[in-house]
Amino acid sequence: MEGPGQEAYEERMRRNLDPEGYEDPGIKSSSLSLGEMSRAGASTGSPLHAWRARAEELTPLRQYLPSRRRCYDLDGRRRAAGAPPRQASYRGGGQPLSETDVDLEAAGSRRPVSQRDTHEGYVELHELVMDSNKELCWMEAGHWLKLEEDFKEAGHWGQPHLSFLTYHSLLEIRRALAKGAVLLDVAANSLPAIAHILIDQMIYEGQIKPQDRDDILRTLLLQHKHPSEAKSARTLPPAQLQRSGTGQAETEQPLLREQQPLEMSRLAGAEQGPSGATRPQLPEKVPEDAEATLVLVGCAAFLEQPTLAFVRLKAAVRLDAVLDVPLPVRFLFVVLGPDSPHVSYHEIGRAVSTMMSERVFRRDAYLAEGRQDLLQGVEDFLEASIVLPPTETPSEQLLRSLVPLQHELLRRRYQPPAKALDKGFLKDLGLKAPAPEDDDPLRRTGQPFGGLVRDIRRRYPKYLSDIKDALSPQCLAAVIFIYFAALSPAVTFGGLLSEKTKGMMGVSELLISTCVQCILFSILSAQPLLVVGFSGPLLVFEEAFYSFCNNHNMEYIVGRVWIGFWLILLVLVVVACEGSFLVRYLSRYTQEIFSFLISLIFIYETFSKLVTIFKNHPLKQHYEVQSNVKPTGPAPNTALLSLVLMAGTFFLAFFLRKFKNSAFLPGKVRRLIGDFGVPISIFIMALADFFIKDTYTQKLEVPKGLQVTNSSARGWFINPMGKDNTFPIWMMFASVVPAILVFILIFLETQITTLIVSKPERKLVKGSGFHLDLLLIVAMGGLAALFGMPWLSATTVRTITHANALTVMSKTSAPGEKSQILEVKEQRISGLLVAVLIGVSILMEPILKHIPLAVLFGIFLYMGVTSLFGIQLFDRILLLLMPPKYHPREPYVTRVKTWRMHLFTFTQIIVLVLLWVVKSTPASLALPFVLILTVPLRRFLLPKIFRDVELKCLDADDVVVTFEEAEGTDVYNEVQMPT
């Protein structure tokens, strides 16, 4: 019954399976160290001789195996036939190796757990099927790269998805592993050698009978195929292995018949399926150092019960014509058993493959020193699994309630509280070891300026690396991106600041102040990733202080100088007392109230300015058209065009932000468009206004060169005693009050921004310096006031964007899984170059003077609206208008009664109303002070109303760090302070 190509195929199999020379079992001569095994076992009373005599009589397999005669010694090393055997190895106590150690572990191969290497995993599941020629073969049914991919009946590979396992299959694995063969550190370099050693062990442990050795060995050496559009494990019938001589049709055909070349099968599998899906480019997705696991499952009618065998090779071996990717194999699972309606070997194979693709169990498999270690790994896997009861199919909304439980199970699995995990284990899991107490930058030393000294000692020794790490193309790309991200708000706030202060400060002063302070901060700071700039809260204060000075006939620009002097004194006192630790008491409750208030101010001011334009240029039936460029009376269509420019800028910027996270265009292209959404919107709407010649719109006033915005009212140096009139002496001392308020604003924004960027999930390794950075920012702002320039603070959104632009993500991640962060380019050069480019932008007066103020109002509205999306308070206010059945499955919804959640929201709304009232009165300067009162309100009053568990859910800092943005999310979702 042998075909004419049988001999050629067998010769090709010998070459493919024996690149180094297969160790001929030499069944009659026991060439595979069977003699040595007998002698080693004789001294310990081994029963091996009972079945070895029978095994030597099984000669038919010789015709299918290579004829080169070599064998393995006790330690798995190959020697030529006829060479004298090596002496049996002994353990440290002088006790000879037992039979179960033979060929399983070389002498001295056991290493301490911490020294055993682990790798990323790739798993292939092969099932025993009957092909179209009625011949047995192994067919790939699926593969795992953290997620499962299976071959569909339609003839194409499916999308990566989570593996949903049956509980019965996991129990079968635990039951079979408790009795199955476990071989650790097998020294073999080919599939035939592994199969021979494995079968010997299975016979010795009584899992299979000696007379079945021939059939199982032939089965393990069958050809491995991969699915194509024409044939797959779903379309081919499952095979059932029969014992030789039973007359069954399955085994009457030669098992090693001439087949179509494997390369042709793989090419056929790469053809496009009917649904348009193609074969995934797995080699591009698999990590370079990955090692594979091969899982073989099938039915064997002559076995009495399912058997499982686990093999871990001493070194990963490339098995030719087996896997679909060129990876070395480290683990082998074999699951065989009788056909039973109660056992699904396909599901058992999926369960085994899923377990080996899970990183913790795979590490357990690498580190296991015996069967009990593997069983414990299975138990731990089961403890972290969730079983759904056999009820009616739950809805997607009900399944979401499992997510918090799964997070808790994963937390326990990755970092068990009962164990002290070593740093190597946490590193392999992608986690960061908890920092020792001495590394806490907010820990007080009890000495004057102790925190400042610790910041300098921690950060400055890494100064040289801060320069070397900048030698990367990614840093250059970040410079270009952050330049536009910082320039747009600088121009926007500069134009608004000029309007609020009647030209006392504007775009020119803000650009120069940003340039100088950013340069100094990049050179001297402890966390150079912080982006220093002007922000909304500071704009609100400047408007309030200008109104105060104007009402009391005092020089606004001189009063800022004395505020600056007090700022320097205040920051020295706070840093000397290590006051940065107070940031620990700023809960989400306070941050969200302030964020919501500033967002409302942004939105209110935008429409307030638009109403002012409509008042100055009302809609009339007849206009007195004036020929001059800047009309003195109402101009036709000015109000309508301003409305169009403002709305167009807002909606275009908002659309580009949404487009960034959409499904259109390649990811890199849409992210590039989305990241530059604000400057693109300004450019498009300014260009539209430029081509509308007949309608007047108010433009941004930018002085030429290094001139101040209003050269007639002030110069570059501000006399602290006053220019026109002597500044009141009482106000020199009273300036400490507004100085405290400005300090509160800068302290809040800077420290909270540092906290966000220093989260452990971001994996910054050089540390931060709360005390040093606060001293630099406040002191530079105090000195800037002497030159009539604005004080600045760390800006949250721009800082997060800067850190994300310098983050290196892994490219070899599993399909469908988010990339993991590899490193962050922590350096000083990108911030330095951005600062220089902003300073050069002051020479762009010919371009900036064409930007309409209405366009900047649109950006102002965009900042206010987008800042609301990251505020939980805003979400809870929306829940007031929703029926409870539509509430999201968030902890603050599911674990807190609805009416108590609304009560918590009402407390924040009441504080918001109080702050708005203060802001709208002449006492608006006291706004930061009233805000600080929310800290004792949260710490002392709210715990008397709400339980601890409710406050933990409603006031928890649970914002997820965003590295690679998904649809519908962006960096604003991390921000609790608006910028």
Side-chain angles (χ1 to χ4, degrees):
M1 298 187 60
E2 296 183 0
Q6 177 71 20
E7 295 181 359
Y9 177 70
E10 292 172 7
E11 179 61 28
R12 185 164 62 254
M13 282 292 293
R14 294 189 186 99
R15 291 195 301 268
N16 291 339
L17 297 177
D18 187 31
E20 300 291 339
Y22 171 63
E23 320 305 333
D24 184 358
I27 297 177
K28 286 188 176 181
S29 60
S30 301
S31 298
L32 189 63
S33 299
L34 292 179
E36 290 79 25
M37 290 172 63
S38 297
R39 288 190 292 272
S43 61
T44 59
S46 170
L48 289 176
H49 66 279
W51 55 264
R52 193 169 287 130
R54 170 61 178 161
E56 292 177 353
E57 298 175 0
L58 301 176
T59 58
L61 184 62
R62 181 182 297 278
Q63 59 178 322
Y64 300 109
L65 299 177
S67 59
R68 300 177 64 179
R69 300 173 57 85
R70 293 181 181 272
C71 64
Y72 285 100
D73 249 322
L74 286 174
D75 59 357
R77 296 186 180 182
R78 189 176 62 189
R79 64 176 176 84
R86 297 169 58 91
Q87 298 297 321
S89 300
Y90 288 83
R91 296 192 189 274
Q95 188 178 11
L97 286 168
S98 63
E99 295 81 357
T100 55
D101 292 318
V102 176
D103 278 322
L104 308 186
E105 184 177 0
S109 66
R110 289 191 184 275
R111 293 174 291 169
V113 169
S114 61
Q115 298 179 8
R116 201 183 296 274
D117 297 329
T118 61
H119 300 267
E120 291 293 329
Y122 169 78
V123 185
E124 270 194 21
L125 171 62
H126 291 201
E127 296 183 7
L128 188 63
V129 298
M130 183 76 68
D131 65 7
S132 56
N133 297 324
K134 300 298 182 181
E135 296 175 351
L136 296 176
C137 67
W138 294 106
M139 175 63 71
E140 179 187 358
H143 52 247
W144 281 254
L145 192 59
K146 297 184 180 178
L147 298 177
E148 178 181 3
E149 291 184 71
D150 53 0
F151 200 81
K152 304 297 183 181
E153 293 184 6
H156 62 89
W157 284 95
Q159 293 295 323
H161 61 273
L162 291 176
S163 298
F164 301 98
L165 310 177
T166 62
Y167 186 61
H168 186 265
S169 63
L170 294 173
L171 294 181
E172 288 291 339
I173 293 174
R174 184 176 62 175
R175 185 182 301 112
L177 189 59
K179 299 179 180 179
V182 176
L183 292 83
L184 304 179
D185 296 338
V186 174
N189 56 9
S190 65
L191 182 58
I194 299 171
H196 199 301
I197 297 172
L198 174 61
I199 294 175
D200 281 349
Q201 184 68 17
M202 295 176 71
I203 294 176
Y204 170 71
E205 295 188 1
Q207 292 195 62
I208 61 176
K209 298 179 180 179
Q211 58 267 30
D212 297 328
R213 185 181 196 277
D214 183 10
D215 297 322
I216 294 180
L217 183 56
R218 285 190 296 170
T219 303
L220 294 181
L221 298 181
L222 287 171
Q223 187 176 8
H224 293 259
K225 299 182 179 181
H226 302 278
S228 65
E229 184 178 352
K231 54 186 179 181
S232 66
R234 289 180 177 267
T235 59
L236 296 176
Q240 186 172 164
L241 183 64
Q242 301 288 342
R243 182 177 286 124
S244 299
T246 60
Q248 297 291 335
E250 287 89 342
T251 55
E252 288 178 356
Q253 302 292 334
L255 295 180
L256 300 179
R257 177 181 290 276
E258 179 73 16
Q259 302 275 349
Q260 179 185 4
L262 187 61
E263 291 76 14
M264 295 300 294
S265 300
R266 294 178 66 178
L267 286 176
E271 296 295 331
Q272 187 169 342
S275 66
T278 57
R279 181 71 169 94
Q281 300 296 323
L282 275 177
E284 299 178 0
K285 304 175 183 177
V286 180
E288 296 179 357
D289 63 339
E291 295 182 347
T293 299
L294 177 62
V295 181
L296 305 177
V297 298
C299 290
F302 51 81
L303 295 179
E304 298 178 355
Q305 60 182 1
T307 60
L308 181 145
F310 170 80
V311 180
R312 184 181 70 202
L313 300 180
K314 181 181 178 183
V317 176
R318 291 186 181 271
L319 304 180
D320 295 336
V322 174
L323 297 181
D324 200 21
V325 293
L327 284 179
V329 175
R330 186 62 173 265
F331 299 98
L332 174 66
F333 270 95
V334 178
V335 181
L336 297 173
D339 189 16
S340 171
H342 305 293
V343 179
S344 172
Y345 294 102
H346 172 73
E347 291 299 327
I348 293 177
R350 289 183 62 251
V352 170
S353 303
T354 303
M355 293 171 65
M356 287 303 300
S357 66
E358 199 264 333
R359 54 185 179 182
V360 178
F361 183 82
R362 185 173 63 252
R363 182 176 177 86
D364 292 341
Y366 272 105
L367 304 180
E369 298 189 3
R371 184 192 310 274
Q372 291 302 320
D373 294 336
L374 289 174
L375 289 175
Q376 184 60 46
V378 175
E379 293 291 341
D380 294 341
F381 184 89
L382 290 174
E383 288 182 2
S385 302
I386 299 176
V387 178
L388 292 179
T391 58
E392 294 183 3
T393 304
S395 63
E396 182 179 354
Q397 186 176 5
L398 292 178
L399 290 177
R400 289 177 182 172
S401 61
L402 299 177
V403 175
L405 175 59
Q406 180 70 358
H407 286 170
E408 177 64 19
L409 293 175
L410 289 178
R411 186 190 65 80
R412 295 178 183 177
R413 180 162 176 78
Y414 294 157
Q415 192 172 4
K419 297 181 181 179
L421 300 181
D422 60 329
K423 294 182 179 179
F425 181 67
L426 292 173
K427 182 179 180 181
D428 288 342
L429 294 181
L431 302 175
K432 184 177 180 180
E437 186 179 0
D438 290 339
D439 257 355
D440 183 3
L442 292 176
R443 184 180 61 85
R444 303 186 69 184
T445 64
Q447 300 177 357
F449 296 99
L452 177 65
V453 174
R454 290 178 68 245
D455 289 346
I456 295 175
R457 289 179 177 176
R458 181 192 307 109
R459 198 61 178 82
Y460 280 6
K462 304 180 179 67
Y463 206 97
L464 184 59
S465 67
D466 289 339
I467 299 176
K468 293 181 178 179
D469 291 345
L471 303 178
S472 171
Q474 186 166 358
C475 294
L476 179 61
V479 168
I480 300 175
F481 169 49
I482 300 301
Y483 165 66
F484 286 100
L487 179 64
S488 299
V491 173
T492 302
F493 283 121
L496 296 174
L497 186 62
S498 176
E499 184 180 358
K500 301 285 187 184
T501 62
K502 301 299 185 290
M504 298 305 294
M505 288 190 300
V507 177
S508 178
E509 290 83 0
L510 184 54
L511 289 178
I512 295 177
S513 178
T514 303
C515 171
V516 175
Q517 294 190 45
C518 284
I519 289 177
L520 294 176
F521 188 81
S522 299
I523 295 174
L524 302 175
S525 67
Q527 182 50 272
L529 296 185
L530 296 182
V531 177
V532 179
F534 201 71
S535 63
L538 294 177
L539 178 64
V540 173
F541 176 84
E542 295 287 2
E543 180 185 13
F545 185 66
Y546 179 83
S547 300
F548 173 81
C549 293
N550 192 38
N551 294 334
H552 292 81
N553 297 321
M554 289 186 293
E555 292 184 79
Y556 158 75
I557 202 71
V558 178
R560 294 185 76 258
V561 175
W562 287 100
I563 293 177
F565 290 157
W566 283 109
L567 278 177
I568 297 175
L569 180 61
L570 286 173
V571 74
L572 288 175
V573 173
V574 171
V575 172
C577 299
E578 301 177 296
S580 292
F581 81 96
L582 293 173
V583 74
R584 297 184 186 272
Y585 301 105
L586 293 175
S587 68
R588 187 170 187 162
Y589 184 85
T590 300
Q591 299 171 30
E592 288 188 337
I593 290 175
F594 191 41
S595 300
F596 201 96
L597 175 66
I598 299 303
S599 297
L600 287 181
I601 293 175
F602 280 12
I603 298 172
Y604 171 80
E605 289 294 333
T606 299
F607 289 101
S608 175
K609 298 305 176 186
L610 187 63
V611 170
T612 302
I613 294 177
F614 270 84
K615 288 181 178 179
N616 295 333
H617 304 276
L619 301 180
K620 300 168 57 176
Q621 188 173 4
H622 301 287
Y623 291 91
E624 296 181 3
V625 180
Q626 303 176 8
S627 59
N628 55 338
V629 177
K630 188 174 181 179
T632 57
N637 300 324
T638 295
L640 292 179
L641 181 58
S642 298
L643 174 62
V644 171
L645 292 176
M646 186 208 72
T649 305
F650 167 75
F651 285 112
L652 185 57
F654 193 81
F655 167 77
L656 292 178
R657 173 175 176 261
K658 291 294 184 181
F659 180 79
K660 175 182 178 180
N661 306 313
S662 68
F664 298 99
L665 300 182
K668 293 183 178 180
V669 176
R670 66 173 183 262
R671 285 194 179 92
L672 181 66
I673 296 175
D675 289 337
F676 292 92
V678 171
I680 290 175
S681 303
I682 294 176
F683 174 76
I684 292 177
M685 301 313 295
L687 189 66
D689 176 79
F690 178 78
F691 285 109
I692 301 177
K693 303 290 187 180
D694 297 334
T695 303
Y696 164 77
T697 54
Q698 186 178 358
K699 301 297 192 297
L700 178 65
E701 296 181 1
V702 182
K704 295 182 179 180
L706 296 178
Q707 296 181 5
V708 295
T709 302
N710 189 354
S711 57
S712 61
R714 51 157 292 189
W716 276 116
F717 179 79
I718 308 300
N719 185 359
M721 304 308 296
K723 177 183 177 182
D724 300 328
N725 301 315
T726 303
F727 195 73
I729 297 179
W730 68 269
M731 189 58 192
M732 297 179 184
F733 294 95
S735 296
V736 65
V737 177
I740 293 176
L741 303 180
V742 174
F743 180 80
I744 291 174
L745 294 178
I746 298 177
F747 179 88
L748 288 174
E749 292 197 88
T750 300
Q751 303 296 52
I752 292 176
T753 301
T754 306
L755 279 178
I756 291 176
V757 81
S758 301
K759 286 184 177 180
E761 295 89 340
R762 292 192 173 274
K763 297 186 179 180
L764 300 182
V765 297
K766 296 183 180 180
S768 299
F770 290 83
H771 309 279
L772 176 59
D773 291 346
L774 181 66
L775 176 64
L776 288 174
I777 291 176
V778 178
M780 288 188 303
L783 293 176
L786 193 59
F787 300 95
M789 294 188 294
W791 35 61
L792 309 177
S793 68
T795 55
T796 309
V797 172
R798 279 162 268 177
T799 296
I800 294 175
T801 306
H802 189 204
N804 287 354
L806 295 172
T807 300
V808 181
M809 308 299 294
S810 63
K811 298 181 180 180
T812 56
S813 59
E817 187 182 20
K818 291 184 178 180
S819 300
Q820 299 295 321
I821 183 172
L822 296 180
E823 64 169 334
V824 179
K825 301 291 184 182
E826 300 179 64
Q827 38 74 44
R828 301 177 182 272
I829 304 302
S830 62
L832 183 65
L833 293 179
V834 168
V836 173
L837 290 176
I838 291 177
V840 174
S841 300
I842 192 62
L843 304 177
M844 296 170 57
E845 177 267 340
I847 298 176
L848 298 178
K849 69 180 182 180
H850 293 291
I851 299 178
L853 280 183
V855 171
L856 300 184
F857 295 156
I859 298 300
F860 210 46
L861 178 63
Y862 168 81
M863 291 180 179
V865 172
T866 53
S867 295
L868 290 175
F869 293 141
I871 304 175
Q872 187 191 102
L873 172 59
F874 179 68
D875 298 334
R876 285 188 274 108
I877 290 177
L878 295 180
L879 293 183
L880 292 172
L881 308 176
M882 292 184 185
K885 64 179 181 179
Y886 296 116
H887 288 183
R889 309 298 295 181
E890 298 290 345
Y892 62 84
V893 176
T894 58
R895 300 182 183 182
V896 181
K897 292 182 179 180
T898 303
W899 72 271
R900 295 186 65 81
M901 175 186 69
H902 293 334
L903 178 62
F904 186 86
T905 305
F906 275 120
T907 63
Q908 291 181 293
I909 294 177
I910 292 174
V911 176
L912 268 174
V913 172
L914 177 62
L915 289 172
W916 186 269
V917 171
V918 173
K919 179 260 176 190
S920 304
T921 61
S924 57
L925 282 176
L927 184 68
F929 179 74
V930 178
L931 175 69
I932 287 298
L933 294 180
T934 60
V935 175
L937 172 67
R938 165 61 182 87
R939 290 187 58 83
F940 301 109
L941 181 59
L942 290 186
K944 299 181 181 298
I945 304 175
F946 299 93
R947 293 180 299 159
D948 289 342
V949 64
E950 293 175 331
L951 290 176
K952 288 180 179 178
C953 296
L954 292 166
D955 197 29
D957 185 16
D958 55 357
V959 179
V960 178
V961 174
T962 303
F963 298 113
E964 186 172 341
E965 296 173 3
E967 184 175 354
T969 63
D970 58 21
V971 294
Y972 280 93
N973 292 353
E974 284 186 69
V975 179
Q976 296 156 14
M977 296 294 293
T979 56

